[in-house]
Amino acid sequence: MTQPVLELNRITKHFGGLMANDDVTLHLNQGEILALLGENGAGKTTLMNILFGHYTADAGEVMVSGRALPPGMPRAAIAAGVGMVHQHFTLAANLSVLENITIGSEPLWRPDSRRAEARAGIAGIARTFGLPVNPDARVGDLSVGERQRVEIVKALYRKARILILDEPTAVLARPEAEQLFATLRGMTAGGLSIIFISHKLHEVMAASDRVVVLRGGKVVAERRTASTNPAELAELMVGRQVVRPRRTAHATGKPVLEARGLTVIDAGKRGLDAADFTVCEGEILGIVGVSGNGQASLGRVLSGLARPLSGTLTLQGRDITRLAPRDLVRLGIGRIPEDRHAEGVVGDLPVWENAVLERLRTPVFSYRGFVRRAEARAYAARLIDRFDIRGAGPETRTRLLSGGNMQKLILGRNLAAQPGFLLANQPTRGLDEGAIAAVHAELLAARDQGAAILLISEDLEEAAALSDRIQAIVKGRLSQPVPADRADARTLGLMMAGVWEVRDAV
Amino acid sequence: MRFERRADVSVPALLVAPLAAVLVSLALCAGLILAAGVSPLTAYAEMLRGAYGSRLAVTETFTRASPLILTGLAAAVAFRARLWNIGGEGQLYMGALVTAGLGHSMMSGLPAPLAVALLMTASMAAGAALLAGPALLRLRFGVDEVVTTLLMNFIVILFVGLMVEGPLKDPMAFGWPQSVPVAAGLRLPDLVPRSRLHVGLVVALLAVAVVWVVQMRTVFGAESRAAGLNPRAAAFAGVPMGRTLMLVACLSGGLAGLAGSIEVLGPTGYVTTNLSPGFGYAGIVVAMLAALHPVGVVGAAVFVATVFVGADAMSRATGVPSFIADVIMSVSLLSMLTALLFTTYRVRR
């Protein structure tokens, strides 16, 4: 048997009382794609950071081609041929692709930058591995998929033979993700060995040769991808059987929220273009689309953060086109923002302040300009209890919550007010299976109690499982709605590609 | 060596950080004192004696601390909301000028407490107005308030110069460029007889209490903290960002203006262009040493006042130039910023 290119032997790491990695042993073979599967907090990223030298393990060692790496030195890892592509890219938006790739790989005291050599090197990598990049493009102008390619080229430019990708598809739309996996296949044919971290089962099934499942910092299973199935992996990953809830057919009521000809200009571009939609009582309307097609503008206008250029938005017949966030909240509109860290919570404030921030000026939570702290704390405690927010009390700093629990807090403060209309913008992005199931169950329960819900999602499975009707968004334009039972994967794919417009034109 | 973000900032760390910063800055400055040919221990002992060695010294230190508490508060409330008010010095002078101008003769006939309250209010309004301009420019056009508030300081001090040479010049001052004095009946009573320590200290401590209540207990305080910590999330939650910023600006400018008012109503009685030995700028150091906490501002202001008052005495006794006070203050700011880094990050090999 040939020697593995990479071995992790009995890695252990803890942060305070938390065991992030507990005696983890795994290996990577030459030319193999290994998937590291686990829920958020299972220790995947910690393990890869130890491998790359960002963290120092408490115990255990990392061997590359049989030689131990000195711990805690990313430079040594790079020299040994380990390249890492982080989930959040480490590129400078104001520099060119060429500059981003060469930066840090040239000695500082060399007076000139050897651009011609670098250019040739990048062209060679592009050819060998099928990774076309334009070295002169400004990184800020590139799409997310292209930026990721630049990150990969950057790692390869530093002679990486082992590539680690941390949640590579978290930011990609499905077609981009599929293209990435095809590229990775090609790269292993060229002699590279790859580890990719994921919590998405279908990716692991589609792209890997072998799967290692982590749970609670421990390796719980190892499978050849060909001899396992998504159900088994899901159970291994979560440790119990998790079933995402699905909608059951039920009657919807009269229209609650209606948009007519809504046009929004965002950052100089037409974010929404004459969009029409109606959400009824007890209905979930799904808006699907490839990322960057106007979902952000739609979310902003429904949250009261953007004023439309033209068109109207009515809530139960009342014009709410130009209302500010606080007025919308007062009228019973709930809003789940796209990015919970950036918009959903103030991480450095305690849970109770985040629970009531939207409603601070209502008489329940303030009196003559003073915060009714006892009421606010009691309310937060009720939310924690009712929505099963774990690892938190009212005084906990919100930043310390896991993604899923943070989302439950946001969901809770919206649903507790029994909103007539709820905007759910990418409500499960980045969450693990258990949390996704919980969020879905809450959304469906709210719908069954009569709430009108607009679900913006890039996850087709999610949209199909929850929505009563689905519209696609393409370049700011909305398709006609399709009832859920007619929305198979093919129809949705065509809609997301904007094919309905062609049909209209004929 | 690398920095790793800590999961959470502990409260004890926030209490220890300023103390450590002060000790480190004193240790670093010991080198300079040595270079001046004096034993640091002697020098620091003289400094302590100069600041606390006699009844007069103690009252001087607290007289010095009073305006520092107010300018420190002014910086702290602004910085909490991410409004970078570097213009405390100018706002202080504006407040001082208004108190002297209005307090010379216009308040005659009113009962003294009412007149003093009116003067303080007017000075606060003047300081607030001075910061409202830069805040508005930032809101409307995105003009960087660090630049505008800093430059306003020079304009205001030149304006004060113009006034004390012109319309507000005191004809009885033998040609010295100083303003007309406030009416004698309006001067703040002394706290300690035969000293310069006056009721302004009480005013400053009251201001600390008020600011604490506003920040920690009111809706406006909660909203302004949210706006400072995460502007996007605050806007999403419906915090009126523009109005919050303007109110913070008024509060901050008002506190600095009040500092000017109590200096005129208290120890000096009139305005000159060297009324303030940099109280406005020192307020920034005070705010940082206090980790922007209103109560911490009191301790930090007393520390800075101690260094300044003590340095004069030390200079007389040992011959070390009193500029060492500026150095200690500046180094303590740098040490504090470093200490704050360690409260959020841990160092890994």
Side-chain angles (χ1 to χ4, degrees):
Chain A
M1 188 184 149
T2 54
Q3 190 183 31
V5 287
L6 175 78
E7 293 164 272
L8 298 176
N9 289 329
R10 317 204 59 175
I11 301 280
T12 298
K13 171 83 179 172
H14 64 90
F15 295 108
L18 177 79
M19 213 56 165
N21 287 149
D22 188 0
D23 198 17
V24 173
T25 297
L26 60 85
H27 68 276
L28 175 68
N29 297 318
Q30 168 74 36
E32 176 187 47
I33 300 186
L34 173 69
L36 199 54
L37 179 70
E39 292 202 292
N40 292 331
K44 305 173 301 235
T45 301
T46 304
L47 187 64
M48 291 303 108
N49 276 325
I50 288 169
L51 158 57
F52 197 63
H54 282 318
Y55 295 156
T56 312
D58 301 333
E61 60 175 358
V62 179
M63 314 267 282
V64 177
S65 308
R67 303 232 315 267
L69 277 188
M73 290 179 64
R75 210 175 275 261
I78 293 173
V82 179
M84 185 148 177
V85 175
H86 291 274
Q87 186 176 359
H88 304 285
F89 301 152
T90 52
L91 297 173
N94 57 337
L95 297 182
S96 73
V97 169
L98 180 76
E99 287 162 334
N100 266 293
I101 291 173
T102 54
I103 206 163
S105 65
E106 295 191 316
L108 275 176
W109 50 81
R110 190 196 284 169
D112 61 324
S113 169
R114 299 200 177 151
R115 293 175 162 255
E117 273 173 39
R119 203 175 283 272
I122 293 169
I125 291 165
R127 236 184 358 260
T128 319
F129 297 108
L131 288 161
V133 290
N134 171 9
D136 299 313
R138 216 176 64 94
V139 164
D141 299 332
L142 300 181
S143 73
V144 207
E146 289 170 314
R147 282 186 214 199
Q148 187 169 54
R149 214 179 299 149
V150 174
E151 281 278 8
I152 296 174
V153 173
K154 185 168 141 188
L156 297 178
Y157 184 79
R158 284 154 202 216
K159 308 274 186 290
R161 307 303 299 156
I162 299 165
L163 202 58
I164 303 162
L165 299 131
D166 189 2
E167 305 261 352
T169 60
V171 291
L172 300 184
R174 194 156 239 187
E176 285 177 308
E178 275 159 15
Q179 198 192 344
L180 171 73
F181 290 133
T183 311
L184 294 184
R185 268 293 157 222
M187 286 162 60
T188 54
L192 259 72
S193 315
I194 296 171
I195 299 182
F196 83 88
I197 301 177
S198 181
H199 61 251
K200 295 184 188 162
L201 298 170
H202 65 91
E203 288 177 13
V204 170
M205 291 305 295
S208 68
D209 300 316
R210 199 156 57 88
V211 191
V212 167
V213 185
L214 278 185
R215 187 171 76 227
K218 288 195 176 86
V219 174
V220 291
E222 187 194 322
R223 295 282 185 277
R224 300 218 63 82
T225 311
S227 58
T228 183
N229 57 61
E232 186 194 17
L233 289 180
E235 203 173 328
L236 287 169
M237 176 166 80
V238 186
R240 63 196 146 86
Q241 243 177 329
V242 172
V243 186
R244 288 195 193 182
R246 281 193 78 86
R247 60 181 276 280
T248 48
H250 88 149
T252 57
K254 49 186 186 307
V256 175
L257 188 95
E258 292 179 89
R260 292 289 166 263
L262 216 50
T263 298
V264 179
I265 304 286
D266 239 351
K269 280 188 244 163
R270 205 163 267 251
L272 266 192
D273 192 356
D276 291 333
F277 59 86
T278 304
V279 198
C280 300
E281 236 170 57
E283 180 188 49
I284 296 183
L285 174 66
I287 304 283
V288 298
V290 178
S291 134
N293 268 292
Q295 291 97 327
S297 295
L298 180 59
R300 281 165 54 76
V301 79
L302 289 175
S303 310
L305 295 173
R307 300 275 157 92
L309 186 72
S310 60
T312 56
L313 200 58
T314 52
L315 180 75
Q316 279 141 353
R318 174 177 177 168
D319 185 22
I320 57 161
T321 315
R322 279 161 205 291
L323 293 187
R326 194 156 273 168
D327 304 319
L328 297 180
V329 171
R330 197 170 301 136
L331 288 175
I333 289 185
R335 305 157 312 143
I336 296 169
E338 182 178 1
D339 185 335
R340 55 186 158 271
H341 292 277
E343 290 195 315
V345 299
V346 181
D348 285 316
L349 289 183
V351 165
W352 72 266
E353 287 196 90
N354 275 297
V356 300
L357 190 57
E358 290 182 327
R359 276 173 244 280
L360 261 184
R361 287 188 188 267
T362 58
V364 189
F365 296 122
S366 65
Y367 176 71
R368 291 175 188 244
F370 282 85
V371 179
R372 304 176 72 156
R373 294 154 57 88
E375 279 80 357
R377 285 208 178 86
Y379 173 75
R382 284 200 301 276
L383 285 189
I384 289 169
D385 192 40
R386 152 81 178 78
F387 290 92
D388 189 25
I389 302 167
R390 294 190 201 155
E395 300 293 341
T396 311
R397 243 194 244 234
T398 312
R399 191 155 58 75
L400 300 177
L401 297 186
S402 72
N405 286 310
M406 201 182 273
Q407 192 70 324
K408 286 188 210 162
L409 169 65
I410 297 169
L411 198 64
R413 76 177 179 207
N414 280 297
L415 292 180
Q418 306 214 316
F421 170 73
L422 177 71
L423 163 70
N425 195 352
Q426 318 285 3
T428 60
R429 182 188 277 174
L431 299 188
D432 58 46
E433 278 298 321
I436 290 175
V439 169
H440 284 183
E442 291 293 350
L443 289 176
L444 286 173
R447 157 200 182 254
D448 292 343
Q449 282 165 28
I453 299 177
L454 185 84
L455 169 73
I456 304 179
S457 182
E458 284 158 24
D459 180 349
L460 285 186
E461 275 172 52
E462 169 173 279
L466 300 184
S467 310
D468 297 293
R469 290 180 304 142
I470 296 178
Q471 287 178 274
I473 187 165
V474 178
K475 291 187 186 138
R477 298 176 61 84
L478 282 182
S479 73
Q480 286 298 311
V482 177
D485 44 22
R486 291 213 338 251
D488 52 55
R490 201 183 108 79
T491 314
L492 288 181
L494 287 173
M495 281 164 67
M496 283 164 67
V499 171
W500 89 87
E501 293 203 294
V502 180
R503 205 180 305 147
D504 288 351
V506 170
Chain B
M1 192 179 87
R2 244 181 12 266
F3 291 100
E4 213 171 82
R5 200 180 167 113
R6 287 176 198 268
D8 202 5
V9 179
S10 70
V11 176
L14 275 179
L15 291 175
V16 169
L19 292 176
V22 164
L23 288 178
V24 167
S25 67
L26 291 178
L28 289 172
C29 291
L32 288 176
I33 295 171
L34 265 180
V38 178
S39 148
L41 281 182
T42 321
Y44 287 140
E46 285 297 333
M47 193 180 260
L48 266 184
R49 188 173 318 147
Y52 298 104
S54 65
R55 204 183 65 134
L56 182 69
V58 174
T59 60
E60 259 320 290
T61 302
F62 282 95
T63 307
R64 195 63 96 95
S66 308
L68 283 172
I69 291 173
L70 288 169
T71 55
L73 270 185
V77 295
F79 292 179
R80 270 254 166 134
R82 289 203 198 167
L83 173 71
W84 307 112
N85 175 17
I86 313 296
E89 189 80 356
Q91 291 140 22
L92 177 145
Y93 268 107
M94 211 47 153
L97 198 65
V98 164
T99 290
L102 296 180
H104 177 55
S105 56
M106 277 189 206
M107 296 288 169
S108 59
L110 290 179
L114 179 63
V116 167
L118 280 175
L119 285 178
M120 287 183 178
T121 312
S123 292
M124 290 178 73
L130 203 60
L131 186 52
L136 210 58
L137 281 174
R138 168 171 140 187
L139 273 180
R140 282 266 173 274
F141 306 110
V143 180
D144 190 337
E145 76 274 15
V146 171
V147 177
T148 47
T149 55
L150 177 65
L151 294 182
M152 287 291 275
N153 288 341
F154 302 101
I155 298 174
V156 170
I157 291 171
L158 288 170
F159 177 69
V160 169
L162 175 81
M163 296 306 278
V164 300
E165 292 278 9
L168 285 183
K169 183 166 182 170
D170 184 0
M172 314 294 282
F174 308 105
W176 289 104
Q178 67 184 46
S179 76
V180 291
V182 290
L186 300 183
R187 297 287 293 276
L188 294 175
D190 289 344
L191 273 184
V192 179
R194 295 186 314 288
S195 79
R196 302 204 309 149
L197 188 62
H198 54 92
V199 171
L201 178 65
V202 178
V203 174
L205 293 176
L206 272 177
V208 168
V210 170
V211 166
W212 185 85
V213 169
V214 166
Q215 280 198 328
M216 300 302 176
R217 291 288 182 267
T218 68
V219 171
F220 161 70
E223 289 184 344
S224 68
R225 274 182 295 132
L229 290 168
N230 185 347
R232 276 185 69 193
F236 185 89
V239 172
M241 301 297 279
R243 207 176 72 192
T244 304
L245 187 79
M246 290 311 292
L247 278 173
V248 167
C250 288
L251 182 58
S252 170
L255 287 164
L258 181 60
S261 183
I262 64 160
E263 271 305 276
V264 172
L265 291 171
T268 69
Y270 51 83
V271 180
T272 63
T273 49
N274 45 22
L275 170 81
S276 154
F279 287 135
Y281 299 109
I284 296 166
V285 182
V286 169
M288 292 313 298
L289 281 176
L292 307 188
H293 195 283
V295 177
V297 159
V298 178
V302 169
F303 164 70
V304 171
T306 304
V307 170
F308 273 90
V309 173
D312 284 334
M314 176 190 73
S315 175
R316 282 192 298 275
T318 65
V320 177
S322 62
F323 297 124
I324 194 73
D326 291 290
V327 181
I328 292 175
M329 188 179 76
S330 312
V331 174
S332 68
L333 174 60
L334 294 176
S335 313
M336 182 64 191
L337 294 177
T338 314
L340 284 177
L341 183 76
F342 288 121
T343 61
T344 5
Y345 294 87
R346 73 174 84 240
V347 183
R348 291 263 159 192
R349 188 190 54 81

